[in-house]
Amino acid sequence: NPLAQGVVVFDELERSQSHLLINQMDRYFKRSPYGQSQAELIVPEPFFVHSDLTTGIRLADFLAYILSWGFRTSSMTEPRREELLPFVDQACALRHRATREVAGGMATYWSFAVLQDLRPRDLKGGP
């Protein structure tokens, strides 16, 4: 949807960490090709809120907890907490699935992504 736009909301951080995050987002949206292409879809300045005072953030924290301890793909070998499975099933029902043509074939993308390493690609080769 060309009219869709999102905001980034973070749990309140210590002031210097907040500045670091703002600077990282600024670099991403201004300097990376993908970030530049997405900049019109996302307000490139995050909002910081206290999760214990903001229901939406508290729900996101709860969902992240359920998924991190209960959701597994075939490549994830860590044990999961079986008692969370009913909640994982409910969370997975919220996922969005998109199929796109990539290099002559079709690729499936889910709205949940497993990130093993949060470092940028150019830093992943090092320690």
Side-chain angles (χ1 to χ4, degrees):
N1 180 352
L3 300 177
Q5 201 168 45
V7 295
V8 177
V9 181
F10 287 105
D11 203 352
E12 187 72 32
L13 301 169
E14 189 269 322
R15 193 170 194 83
S16 65
Q17 289 178 312
S18 296
H19 283 289
L20 178 66
L21 190 55
I22 289 170
N23 290 336
Q24 289 172 338
M25 284 186 64
D26 183 69
R27 283 194 312 274
Y28 173 75
F29 285 114
K30 288 182 179 173
R31 298 184 190 159
S32 77
Y34 188 74
Q36 289 173 354
S37 73
Q38 299 301 303
E40 67 185 39
L41 301 175
I42 298 171
V43 176
E45 188 169 303
F47 292 100
F48 292 93
V49 299
H50 292 285
S51 64
D52 57 336
L53 301 174
T54 311
T55 305
I57 299 300
R58 205 172 225 182
L59 288 171
D61 286 346
F62 185 57
L63 184 61
Y65 176 85
I66 290 169
L67 293 171
S68 69
W69 285 99
F71 180 78
R72 295 292 179 264
T73 64
S74 59
S75 65
M76 299 170 75
T77 58
E78 300 88 359
R80 66 179 176 196
R81 298 203 25 208
E82 298 296 324
E83 71 273 16
L84 294 176
L85 287 183
F87 302 110
V88 171
D89 291 342
Q90 290 177 24
C92 285
L94 300 173
R95 294 184 298 173
H96 174 74
R97 179 178 177 250
T99 306
R100 296 196 176 97
E101 190 172 336
V102 178
M106 298 303 286
T108 300
Y109 297 91
W110 290 94
S111 57
F112 291 0
V114 177
L115 303 175
Q116 300 294 343
D117 190 338
L118 296 176
R119 294 177 295 168
R121 283 187 185 108
D122 58 336
L123 296 179
K124 287 185 181 180

